[in-house]
């Protein structure tokens, strides 16, 4: 059984985005402006009133933003997978069968982890000691998500014969290595968010309006980077474990 190097996997994913940044821009040229405009509309409409929840325009915008955001992320991820693995550059606005299957599989992976976490969170309100298990579950959940997500590049390629069981089997005996990939990925995401908050705080001290504009633009750019960076990680894992590629 092949043994993965977490550092090499993350480095390879980062270098892929950096090396093919022009393709990354091309892939995001449709969805990033869309997500940016949705962010502007959400600000103008306002957030839902949690004290008095009712279906209205703010709630509708939250739903629209979530659905469009999911389609956008999956569309960009599918395009990136196909470019890296098959050197194919399709339409930036693609919404086809692979994208819809990708979205469905992504939601299913998250539900597999989120549902037990929510149940444990509710129980921890009754038995506070169970709160410690949330940390363990979060780490285990990250490992599960990482292993199951090896299926996603196959979905992007239109391969319907490679399922979750195949992804799980392909990554056997690499739990610690894949946990390392998850933790390194989390560190990159956390670091990017912290940097964004720090810069926004500095700008906000000068001009709150400018800080809000900066956050909208930076958020759109960060979404593109993180979407393609995560897609690159799963592409690297798929290439390593399934297609037997080396970094």
């Amino acid at each position: 059984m092949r043994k993965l190097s977490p550092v090499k996997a993350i480095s390879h994913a980062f270098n892929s985005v950096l090396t093919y940044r022009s393709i990354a821009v091309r892939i995001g040229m449709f969805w990033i402006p869309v997500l940016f405009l949705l962010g502007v509309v959400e600000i103008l409409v306002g957030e839902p009133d949690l004290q008095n929840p009712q279906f209205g325009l703010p709630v509708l915008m939250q739903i629209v933003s979530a659905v469009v955001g999911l389609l956008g992320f999956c569309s960009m991820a599918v395009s990136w997978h196909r470019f890296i693995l098959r050197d194919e550059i399709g339409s930036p606005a693609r919404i086809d069968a692979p994208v819809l299957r990708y979205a469905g599989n992504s939601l299913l992976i998250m539900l597999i982890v989120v549902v037990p976490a929510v149940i444990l969170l509710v129980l921890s309100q009754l038995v506070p000691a169970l709160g410690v298990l949330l940390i363990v579950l979060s780490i285990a959940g990250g490992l599960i998500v990482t292993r199951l997500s090896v299926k996603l590049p196959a979905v992007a390629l239109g391969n319907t014969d490679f399922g979750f069981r195949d992804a799980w089997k392909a990554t056997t005996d690499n739990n610690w290595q894949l946990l390392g990939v998850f933790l390194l990925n989390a560190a990159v995401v956390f670091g990017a968010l912290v940097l964004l908050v720090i810069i926004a705080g500095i700008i906000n001290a000068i001009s709150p309006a400018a800080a809000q504009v900066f956050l909208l633009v930076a958020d759109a750019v960060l979404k593109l980077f993180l979407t393609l960076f995560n897609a690159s990680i799963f592409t690297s894992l798929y290439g390593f474990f399934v297609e037997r590629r080396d970094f």
Side-chain angles (χ1 to χ4, degrees):
M1 183 61 65
R2 308 184 83 195
K3 291 296 182 180
L4 178 76
S5 168
V7 174
K8 285 186 178 180
I10 293 295
S11 298
H12 185 263
F14 184 80
N15 288 332
S16 295
V17 179
L18 184 62
T19 301
Y20 301 110
R21 54 189 177 276
S22 60
I23 303 298
V25 172
R26 177 173 176 176
I27 288 175
M29 65 185 297
F30 174 79
W31 288 107
I32 294 306
V34 170
L35 297 177
F36 174 82
L37 290 175
L38 279 175
V40 173
V41 173
E42 281 190 70
I43 291 176
L44 295 176
V45 170
E47 297 182 357
D49 185 0
L50 299 179
Q51 301 298 323
N52 183 28
Q54 56 181 341
F55 187 82
L57 189 56
V59 174
L60 177 62
M61 277 307 306
Q62 292 279 336
I63 296 174
V64 170
S65 182
V67 173
V68 174
L70 176 63
L71 287 176
F73 298 147
C74 293
S75 176
M76 291 187 288
V78 167
S79 294
W80 189 253
H81 288 309
R82 295 183 73 94
F83 167 70
I84 296 297
L85 294 171
R86 297 293 182 266
D87 199 28
E88 172 191 309
I89 303 177
S91 169
R94 68 181 304 156
I95 303 180
D96 50 15
V99 171
L100 296 178
R101 284 191 63 231
Y102 198 99
N105 279 268
S106 298
L107 285 174
L108 181 56
I109 291 172
M110 295 311 299
L111 285 174
I112 290 173
V113 176
V114 170
V115 171
V118 171
I119 294 174
L120 185 57
L121 181 62
V122 172
L123 292 176
S124 67
Q125 304 300 312
L126 303 175
V127 184
L130 292 177
V132 178
L133 293 179
L134 282 173
I135 300 176
V136 177
L137 183 61
S138 297
I139 296 175
L143 173 60
I144 293 171
V145 167
T146 303
R147 292 187 64 175
L148 293 180
S149 294
V150 172
K151 177 189 176 183
L152 294 179
V155 173
L157 296 176
N159 182 358
T160 58
D161 296 326
F162 190 86
F164 286 126
R165 182 176 298 178
D166 300 297
W168 195 264
K169 182 178 179 180
T171 53
T172 300
D173 296 330
N174 276 269
N175 282 336
W176 289 110
Q177 291 83 352
L178 290 168
L179 182 58
V181 169
F182 167 72
L183 293 176
L184 287 173
N185 183 25
V188 171
V189 174
F190 180 75
L193 292 175
V194 169
L195 181 61
L196 182 65
V197 171
I198 291 175
I199 296 175
I202 294 173
I203 297 176
N204 186 67
I206 302 172
S207 171
Q212 194 168 54
V213 172
F214 167 78
L215 281 174
L216 282 171
V217 175
D219 180 64
V221 174
L222 187 60
K223 283 176 179 176
L224 174 61
F225 168 75
L226 292 180
T227 297
L228 300 187
F229 178 66
N230 277 277
S232 291
I233 292 175
F234 301 143
T235 301
S236 298
L237 297 180
Y238 180 83
F240 182 84
F241 288 112
V242 181
E243 297 191 343
R244 318 301 288 182
R245 300 188 185 196
D246 292 317
F247 298 125

